[in-house]
Amino acid sequence: MKSYARALAGWGPQLVMCFGLALAGTPAAAQEAAAPAPAPTQTATTDTAPPEIPTAHFAGRSAFWDAQLSPNGAMLSFMRRREGIAQFLVTGVDDKKIIRAFTTDPDDQFEWYRWVTDDKILLSLSRAGTFFGEDVRYTRLVLIELSSGTMSPMFNRSDVVQGDNVIHVAEDGSYMLVAIQKSIYDYPSVMRHDLVANGKVTTVEPPRDGVWNWTADDEGNVRMGTGWKDGRLKIFYRSQPGGKLELIARLKEGEKTEGYWDALQILNGSDEGYVLSEGESGRVGLRRFNFATRETVETIYEHPEWDIDRVTLKDGKLYAAYYTADRDEVHYFDEAAAKQHARMKKALGDVEVWVPSRAKDGARMLVYAGNEADPGVLYLFEPAARRMEEVSQLRPALDFNALARPRPMQYTARDGTVIRGYLTLPRGRAAKGLPLIIMPHGGPYGIRDKLEYNDEVQLLANRGYAVLQPNFRGSGGYGDAFFELGTGQIGRKMQDDLDDAMDWAVKEGLADPARVCVVGSSYGGYAAMWAVLRNPERYRCAASWAGVTDLEKQLRYDGQSFTRGGFKRWKDRVRGAGVTEVKTVSPVARAETLSRPLLLAHGTKDVVVPFSQYNLFEKATRSAPVKPDTLVIKDEGHGFSKAENEQRWYDALEAFLDKHNPADPAPVAVAARTGS
């Protein structure tokens, strides 16, 4: 792990670097800002092969994650695991003493949390359950009050399936509005909950046919409801608080009626607000929109090549827009923030710089520095004092000098579609005839791979494999037309894109066509299984962690599965126009034909892809020509809650690949492992 403990030239000679409490790593989903760094072409024929890195080092991530500062900057909150049980802690920034510690039920999975005030925190939890015999994913909210040290479940008197979709929180922390889905068959209603234990609950908006998303203005007035039905976007809108919700057309007659469209904010006392929508270029941009006249007032920011993923506001004003090129990037509307970010980037060197959390007044902030070949370091930064303190190294045992550097690539699919992705070559080996791992990302819709640190990619490259991560059609960030190419194409053209990635690597001479396997998690696990079931002549083996095996059951379990932000419902997205069945592209339907080695792995407490998905497939393969190797990790979820469980997966994957798709031996001079 590289530590950027150096004098920050951009901040002057008096900056102090301190090294103290090891606290928390922060996931990429919490990024506030990112800056690109060029990825030099890897010269694998002249590079020195690094020693073999123990799997324990890749699994030895920081014991703490999702660190945030309180609004006043005096407290630091984070999650940690103790014996597999999630704990939520709040400490003092100055004295580093624990103020409060809370523990969740072992059956609950932590989803997210947010500070409401300096005394109140909202925590989202999920767990797997059943609804009339069907597997269902339940979500709920818990209110933490630091002054009393209490944890209070919200909506505890109501039966709720989805109960954590917060659409508004009062500035003074007195109440919140939540879009509540009471059953898997209901559209969500909007309910108000006073933010105190056993607080008053009232229904603000009843369910409406076809409305899945509700939007409130910043004074807490519900102004709009949207949702896709029969292939069209329906919008209910009211101009004034208390007025009648009217069904309106999204755009004027004759204008485009398809494509991405998401309302971000409605301005108080106005019919105008901000939306993310597709423009003439096909890119999703930030626009000011008049909901009454149904017109775009102006385009505020649109990148010529990349979709805008999200936008943040500060004190009701636009603060920054975020998009992903090859790396996550940011466009600041706040000039001071842009200058500050540029200075940090210059000072910290050839790394990405993110600010995942900051105090309301900006006096303190958390800063991440790292890149695709370095897991990174989290700092606490105080700009006025020019003081930066190391909080945590995200993979403390890893030597970043032994890691490989991924690089961008692209190829043309069989139908002419250009597919972009990332290639990581093993160091110290000729880039010719290598064993290849194709690693499709999860999601799949609206998600994409990018240049960022990835434990699994680095492990496989360290073992001598080339790793190819294609952003197949339906992936996010490349424009709405590319996104729409994925409609109805799970197991079909989306899978063709993976096959074509293999063909590209073989044609380039990088890969040995007889030594190609597919490895993935979640949707990527589905794609890995489907690869060896659909095209066993192509692939030598496959490995799946937490993969979906029955699409129909998964969609009933969680209606938001596979889709981007619910902007278009899963039935339209997964099935596609005219497609009534997904069974024909579900691995369980062909499980009895399995003829290639498959590593099938799952955690028993997965609340994203339930363990029943594993059971269905394993049972169906009992009469197959080849039975899968299996790995069941008791009490584990969709990700990994314990380092030892993550290591079990890495060890099993390494042994499986070594048996069924072995890499070439490492040079004798570097065959020994690093560390112990």
Side-chain angles (χ1 to χ4, degrees):
M1 169 65 61
K2 184 176 183 179
S3 178
Y4 304 94
R6 62 176 81 112
L8 302 190
W11 296 94
Q14 281 98 19
L15 184 131
V16 179
M17 300 292 296
C18 301
F19 302 91
L21 183 65
L23 291 178
T26 305
Q31 296 166 10
E32 179 180 297
T41 301
Q42 191 168 323
T43 55
T45 56
T46 59
D47 195 10
T48 301
E52 188 173 290
I53 302 171
T55 55
H57 290 188
F58 291 106
R61 63 187 62 193
S62 170
F64 308 89
W65 76 96
D66 203 1
Q68 295 183 30
L69 290 169
S70 60
N72 63 10
M75 293 171 283
L76 180 69
S77 56
F78 55 90
M79 300 294 299
R80 76 176 181 187
R81 290 278 179 183
R82 283 290 176 89
E83 298 180 355
I85 298 176
Q87 293 182 322
F88 180 75
L89 281 80
V90 179
T91 66
V93 170
D94 293 321
D95 61 14
K96 299 180 175 58
K97 293 182 179 179
I98 295 176
I99 297 172
R100 295 289 185 188
F102 304 91
T103 301
T104 60
D105 189 292
D107 289 332
D108 287 330
Q109 177 172 298
F110 165 77
E111 295 294 332
W112 55 262
Y113 75 93
R114 62 180 284 185
W115 286 83
V116 177
T117 67
D118 290 318
D119 185 57
K120 296 179 181 180
I121 300 169
L122 278 175
L123 185 71
S124 168
L125 302 172
S126 66
R127 69 165 58 191
T130 58
F131 188 88
F132 290 100
E134 293 284 350
D135 289 327
V136 172
R137 178 172 176 260
Y138 290 92
T139 62
R140 60 192 178 93
L141 291 167
V142 173
L143 175 67
I144 291 175
E145 295 179 273
L146 297 179
S147 56
S148 62
T150 58
M151 296 180 71
S152 305
M154 303 284 95
F155 305 103
N156 60 335
R157 303 184 192 92
S158 305
D159 293 327
V160 171
V161 172
Q162 184 185 40
D164 69 339
N165 185 12
V166 179
I167 66 170
H168 175 76
V169 176
E171 187 174 356
D172 63 359
S174 58
Y175 73 92
M176 65 177 172
L177 299 180
V178 184
I180 294 289
Q181 187 180 5
K182 292 189 175 182
S183 82
I184 60 175
Y185 307 111
D186 293 329
Y187 291 104
S189 57
V190 179
M191 303 185 75
R192 170 177 165 146
H193 198 305
D194 289 349
L195 284 174
V196 292
N198 299 312
K200 182 180 178 181
V201 178
T202 55
T203 299
V204 176
E205 290 290 342
R208 281 182 179 264
D209 188 42
V211 173
W212 290 100
N213 304 297
W214 292 97
T215 303
D217 61 27
D218 54 9
E219 288 187 352
N221 302 300
V222 177
R223 301 279 298 278
M224 185 166 58
T226 63
W228 287 84
K229 188 173 183 181
D230 300 325
R232 298 184 65 86
L233 181 66
K234 295 177 66 174
I235 296 181
F236 291 89
Y237 176 72
R238 60 165 57 99
S239 289
Q240 300 295 330
K244 183 180 179 182
L245 277 173
E246 302 282 357
L247 179 64
I248 64 172
R250 176 167 68 87
L251 298 175
K252 286 190 171 181
E253 184 178 357
E255 294 189 35
K256 187 174 180 181
T257 58
E258 293 293 331
Y260 184 77
W261 192 87
D262 185 23
L264 303 177
Q265 184 193 45
I266 301 174
L267 302 174
N268 289 335
S270 168
D271 286 316
E272 293 187 357
Y274 301 116
V275 302
L276 288 178
S277 65
E278 179 186 353
E280 294 182 1
S281 68
R283 301 300 178 194
V284 174
L286 173 63
R287 312 183 202 284
R288 191 177 180 104
F289 189 82
N290 188 300
F291 298 98
T293 64
R294 295 165 284 158
E295 291 180 314
T296 296
V297 178
E298 64 173 320
T299 294
I300 295 171
Y301 183 73
E302 179 180 304
H303 195 280
E305 295 185 70
W306 312 103
D307 288 345
I308 304 304
D309 298 321
R310 65 187 182 93
V311 173
T312 54
L313 297 95
K314 184 178 180 181
D315 298 327
K317 298 180 181 179
L318 291 172
Y319 184 71
Y322 307 91
Y323 60 95
T324 303
D326 284 320
R327 294 177 174 83
D328 287 323
E329 301 198 30
V330 60
H331 172 84
Y332 282 107
F333 302 107
D334 185 293
E335 185 176 347
K339 290 180 178 179
Q340 184 181 70
H341 181 263
R343 290 198 299 268
M344 287 192 294
K345 171 67 179 172
K346 181 179 178 181
L348 289 169
D350 184 23
V351 291
E352 294 185 63
V353 176
W354 305 333
V355 180
S357 180
R358 68 174 75 221
K360 190 173 182 179
D361 62 4
R364 282 174 168 161
M365 62 188 71
L366 296 177
V367 177
Y368 165 85
N371 58 37
E372 65 271 19
D374 185 345
V377 182
L378 188 70
Y379 298 101
L380 177 67
F381 180 45
E382 298 175 347
R386 296 181 177 178
R387 176 185 175 89
M388 184 169 279
E389 177 181 357
E390 181 178 314
V391 175
S392 175
Q393 296 186 15
L394 271 69
R395 301 293 184 277
L398 269 181
D399 176 7
F400 78 99
N401 290 301
L403 300 178
R405 185 173 288 272
R407 61 181 175 89
M409 52 74 67
Q410 69 177 48
Y411 61 96
T412 302
R414 66 192 66 180
D415 64 353
T417 302
V418 175
I419 306 294
R420 303 187 193 189
Y422 302 95
L423 175 68
T424 306
L425 297 174
R427 292 174 54 184
R429 302 169 193 248
K432 181 179 180 181
L434 293 165
L436 175 67
I437 302 297
I438 294 176
M439 187 177 290
H441 61 70
Y445 294 113
I447 308 298
R448 55 164 289 185
D449 278 319
K450 54 195 172 186
L451 288 177
E452 64 177 351
Y453 176 79
N454 184 303
D455 286 304
E456 205 159 86
V457 168
Q458 292 293 342
L459 168 64
L460 294 171
N462 182 257
R463 297 304 190 261
Y465 297 94
V467 183
L468 183 52
Q469 300 168 273
N471 282 324
F472 44 82
R473 68 193 66 207
S475 299
Y478 297 106
D480 210 64
F482 185 82
F483 178 67
E484 291 293 339
L485 286 177
T487 299
Q489 296 306 319
I490 286 180
R492 301 178 179 96
K493 290 184 179 180
M494 290 165 69
Q495 199 74 22
D496 291 345
D497 292 343
L498 304 184
D499 295 346
D500 294 344
M502 170 189 167
D503 291 345
W504 172 85
V506 170
K507 184 179 179 181
E508 291 291 313
L510 297 170
D512 179 349
R515 293 194 291 168
V516 183
C517 290
V518 185
V519 176
S521 302
S522 198
Y523 173 82
Y526 158 85
M529 288 183 279
W530 193 237
V532 292
L533 290 167
R534 190 182 86 147
N535 297 106
E537 76 285 354
R538 276 184 168 269
Y539 300 107
R540 192 158 175 170
C541 62
S544 165
W545 169 261
V548 176
T549 67
D550 187 319
L551 293 170
E552 193 74 51
K553 286 185 178 295
Q554 179 65 22
L555 291 169
R556 286 201 297 268
Y557 172 75
D558 182 0
Q560 296 288 345
S561 291
F562 312 116
T563 193
R564 173 176 70 178
F567 101 93
K568 201 167 186 180
R569 291 300 295 167
W570 56 266
K571 288 185 179 179
D572 293 328
R573 177 64 57 229
V574 178
R575 297 177 191 276
V579 179
T580 59
E581 289 285 341
V582 291
K583 292 180 180 178
T584 57
V585 290
S586 289
V588 71
R590 292 196 193 178
E592 63 182 13
T593 70
L594 182 65
S595 60
R596 289 292 189 185
L598 170 66
L599 174 59
L600 183 69
H602 220 110
T604 62
K605 288 192 176 179
D606 192 336
V607 300
V608 179
V609 178
F611 186 59
S612 59
Q613 291 276 325
Y614 167 95
N615 287 329
L616 285 168
F617 188 83
E618 189 279 327
K619 183 177 180 180
T621 58
R622 291 176 185 176
S623 60
V626 174
K627 294 177 177 58
D629 294 358
T630 59
L631 173 66
V632 174
I633 301 183
K634 187 178 179 181
D635 297 332
E636 190 53 272
H638 197 62
F640 294 99
S641 60
K642 295 181 181 179
E644 55 265 35
N645 287 345
E646 186 174 11
Q647 185 179 349
R648 285 183 64 189
W649 161 246
Y650 293 153
D651 287 340
L653 178 62
E654 181 181 10
F656 175 82
L657 292 174
D658 192 52
K659 178 180 179 181
H660 298 293
N661 192 32
D664 300 320
V668 176
V670 293
R673 289 182 182 266
T674 62
S676 59

